[in-house]
Amino acid sequence: MNIVISQPMFFPWVGMFEQIKLADCYVHYPDVQFSKGSFVNRVQIKTAAGIKWLTVPLKNVSLGQVIGEVEINDDRDWRTSHLDMLRQ
């Protein structure tokens, strides 16, 4: 039996979908500690101007907090800027 266990990430890497396709069981695991600087809330993209970061702003993240408890900060319109960058 093939099992894939993965924690949430903002943009899963392409190989993740292949792993899920080949797995007999997929486990989404949000009960792990959030790590600042990880790909849980950010991803790099290639643009004409070079590599850029798409980062989802978070609110009230504390040391030891698990990913499933982290909240998105919607005080600013980050979605529009992300879509604009992806359109370029």
Side-chain angles (χ1 to χ4, degrees):
M1 175 179 263
N2 293 320
I3 299 173
V4 172
I5 302 171
S6 176
Q7 63 191 43
M9 57 186 98
F10 181 41
F11 267 77
W13 54 285
V14 176
M16 172 61 78
F17 297 107
E18 181 69 14
Q19 284 187 354
I20 292 170
K21 178 182 167 192
L22 298 173
D24 298 310
C25 178
Y26 172 73
V27 178
H28 185 73
Y29 192 47
D31 296 333
V32 294
Q33 185 174 333
F34 175 78
S35 174
K36 186 176 179 184
S38 69
F39 291 98
V40 171
N41 70 312
R42 65 189 198 142
V43 67
Q44 281 184 332
I45 61 169
K46 292 182 182 179
T47 71
I51 294 175
K52 301 282 184 181
W53 283 98
L54 295 178
T55 303
V56 176
L58 305 176
K59 61 176 157 180
N60 303 325
V61 177
S62 60
L63 187 63
Q65 188 172 9
V66 296
I67 293 171
E69 296 174 348
V70 173
E71 293 182 54
I72 295 173
N73 185 347
D74 283 318
D75 290 344
R76 63 178 249 253
D77 184 18
W78 59 271
R79 288 174 179 88
T80 299
S81 64
H82 284 196
L83 287 172
D84 290 344
M85 238 193 284
L86 291 170
R87 283 186 187 109
Q88 293 175 12

